[in-house]
Amino acid sequence: MRCYYINLAHRTDRRAIMEQRFAGLGLAHERVEALTPAAITPEQRKRYCNPAEHAWQSEGELACSLSHLQAMRQFLATPAPYAAIFEDDAVLAPSLPALLEQFEQAAPQVDILRLETTNTRMRLLPRGDAQIGEFAIHRLLSTGGAAAGYVMSRKGAERVLAGEEVLFDLTDQALFNPYAPIARDLAVRQLVPALVVQEDRLGQRADRIANSDLESTRRHRDLIDKANFWRRAHYNFVDFVARDIALPLRNVWLRLTLGAAKRDVPFKAE
């Protein structure tokens, strides 16, 4: 399986760490140089970075999303059936190479497999759709935050590149929201236990905030949101109904009918 990692931080020390991690696991890989906000075209900025619209991204967030799309394009330029895409702060478990090999050989009906955990509980069914060795492949019933490690099929990459969801929304929200368009078109699943975790997720919440490369981008977005509060009042109300009324009712229904519940997704460190 082809492996790509996106050098989001543009730092030589981060690049060296990732190179060591791949080398230690014997994984061949290709670096993808992340785009910066300077690479965003005026047309892209006007279309995807407009806080007056319902869905929008800050320039830093859009640059991150465009970098993920670039990794998918590099993958599709090869004949490989699958690719594993990582961000440059991903901690990789020792079992990862074997899992990737077994996944490719089994070729399950999965278009996007989230390899990562954020150490938060996720809503899953009691049993997975498939099993690869000790790993279960579960249908996602809640949004998986972060996009530091996932496997993608050619079909998955083609579908994501054909749409604009990853450009209007954060990469993880577009790819791993089970009720968003991509997950309705593709088989999007979660690996349990997980084999990828971001470095800052291994610490306490305060450490995560202090060390996150995207924290300044998040603060910038919050300031823009606040400055546009009244212009976005309608959208905020729509989001409130979907998030705080419709989604809880759906979760109750899934629990009663399918036994779905929030479960731990541990990181398999050994």
Side-chain angles (χ1 to χ4, degrees):
M1 184 180 298
R2 300 189 73 90
C3 294
Y4 301 85
Y5 82 90
I6 305 168
N7 189 26
L8 289 172
H10 296 284
R11 285 167 34 191
T12 55
D13 60 332
R14 183 68 61 80
R15 185 171 64 195
I17 290 171
M18 287 304 296
E19 296 285 352
Q20 290 172 1
R21 287 174 180 166
F22 281 113
L25 296 177
L27 282 173
H29 58 280
E30 184 175 336
R31 187 175 73 250
V32 178
E33 287 301 331
L35 281 76
T36 67
I40 297 174
T41 67
E43 293 77 14
Q44 290 172 328
R45 189 173 290 108
K46 180 179 179 180
R47 181 164 178 76
Y48 305 119
C49 301
N50 183 0
E53 297 294 334
H54 188 186
W56 70 283
Q57 297 202 70
S58 69
E59 293 182 15
E61 292 165 341
L62 180 59
C64 178
S65 293
L66 289 168
S67 301
H68 279 265
L69 296 181
Q70 178 59 31
M72 295 177 203
R73 290 190 187 93
Q74 289 182 213
F75 156 48
L76 290 180
T78 75
Y82 298 99
I85 298 174
F86 305 93
E87 292 182 347
D88 62 357
D89 60 349
V91 177
L92 313 177
S95 302
L96 180 62
L99 181 280
L100 295 179
E101 182 178 355
Q102 292 167 1
F103 180 89
E104 191 165 29
Q105 291 175 352
Q109 297 300 307
V110 176
D111 298 306
I112 305 175
L113 178 63
R114 186 171 181 264
L115 301 170
E116 179 180 8
T117 181
T118 56
N119 293 325
T120 56
R121 306 184 81 196
M122 298 191 65
R123 183 166 281 101
L124 303 171
L125 297 177
R127 295 181 181 83
D129 292 350
Q131 193 81 20
I132 297 180
E134 63 182 297
F135 299 94
I137 296 176
H138 278 265
R139 174 186 169 192
L140 280 167
L141 295 173
S142 60
T143 302
Y150 56 94
V151 170
M152 180 162 280
S153 70
R154 296 189 70 83
K155 175 185 174 183
E158 289 165 355
R159 164 60 184 85
V160 172
L161 288 167
E164 293 182 294
E165 293 88 353
V166 171
L167 299 173
F168 278 115
D169 207 348
L170 302 177
T171 305
D172 54 350
Q173 299 297 307
L175 293 181
F176 305 127
N177 181 347
Y179 308 111
I182 288 175
R184 292 200 296 267
D185 293 343
L186 300 172
V188 182
R189 299 293 186 265
Q190 169 71 47
L191 187 72
V192 182
L195 291 176
V196 175
V197 66
Q198 287 178 308
E199 293 171 359
D200 58 359
R201 292 284 174 174
L202 293 174
Q204 300 297 317
R205 184 175 185 276
D207 296 330
R208 296 202 302 268
I209 293 174
N211 296 327
S212 173
D213 292 325
L214 291 177
E215 186 59 28
S216 61
T217 297
R218 296 187 186 106
R219 288 197 297 268
H220 180 58
R221 180 189 180 88
D222 289 343
L223 290 173
I224 295 174
D225 263 338
K226 290 176 182 177
N228 289 273
F229 177 80
W230 292 112
R231 284 202 298 171
R232 296 189 54 79
H234 170 70
Y235 298 137
N236 292 336
F237 177 75
V238 171
D239 291 341
F240 166 77
V241 172
R243 181 187 65 245
D244 296 312
I245 298 176
L247 184 58
L249 290 174
R250 181 186 285 123
N251 291 339
V252 170
W253 175 253
L254 290 171
R255 187 185 73 229
L256 294 176
T257 59
L258 300 177
K262 284 196 170 183
R263 307 175 195 279
D264 291 326
V265 180
F267 174 61
K268 190 177 185 300
E270 298 297 334

